[in-house]
Amino acid sequence: MLLKKPFIIFGSKDYLAYLRQMGFRTFSDFWDEDYDGHEGKERFIRIVKLLDQLANKNNSELEQMYLDMTYSLDYNYNLLKEQTYSTQLERLN
């Protein structure tokens, strides 16, 4: 987030959901983030599928996507830099 780059997280289940609870923006407007509800092998498979979909986009599509997400990238950067994110998280089922 400090580098203002979009991200796909190969972490624990619901990692993105917790980031959203903290106030950060993720990239569901640009790609499917359903992988976040899975763990282990299934998460990995879904992330590889997502990466394949992104790799099939041409340069102008990727550039436009990046320009369109600039607001979210700047927002996340500022939230992290200013440490104004929430630390009160609710446990997900």
Side-chain angles (χ1 to χ4, degrees):
M1 288 185 250
L2 282 175
L3 298 175
K4 296 186 180 182
K5 300 293 182 194
F7 49 83
I8 297 168
I9 303 286
F10 185 67
S12 60
K13 181 180 175 187
D14 297 324
Y15 194 98
L16 295 177
Y18 286 116
L19 280 179
R20 287 189 292 272
Q21 277 190 39
M22 293 174 74
F24 292 102
R25 297 175 185 261
T26 62
F27 303 96
S28 60
D29 290 345
F30 304 97
W31 54 70
D32 189 356
E33 292 183 332
D34 75 327
Y35 69 87
D36 192 48
H38 300 274
E39 53 192 341
K41 182 179 179 181
E42 184 61 29
R43 187 179 186 96
F44 178 77
I45 290 169
R46 290 172 184 262
I47 288 174
V48 169
K49 181 180 174 183
L50 171 57
L51 292 173
D52 285 341
Q53 291 169 354
L54 291 171
N56 285 323
K57 294 190 178 294
N58 64 44
N59 284 345
S60 59
E61 289 174 309
L62 292 171
E63 287 173 11
Q64 186 60 53
M65 184 186 298
Y66 186 75
L67 289 174
D68 292 343
M69 65 177 57
T70 300
Y71 177 81
S72 293
L73 297 171
D74 289 340
Y75 178 88
N76 286 343
Y77 173 85
N78 290 327
L79 195 66
L80 186 62
K81 194 80 167 157
E82 296 166 8
Q83 297 182 2
T84 54
Y85 49 84
S86 174
T87 57
Q88 302 298 314
L89 302 179
E90 294 181 26
R91 186 171 184 86
L92 302 174
N93 295 329

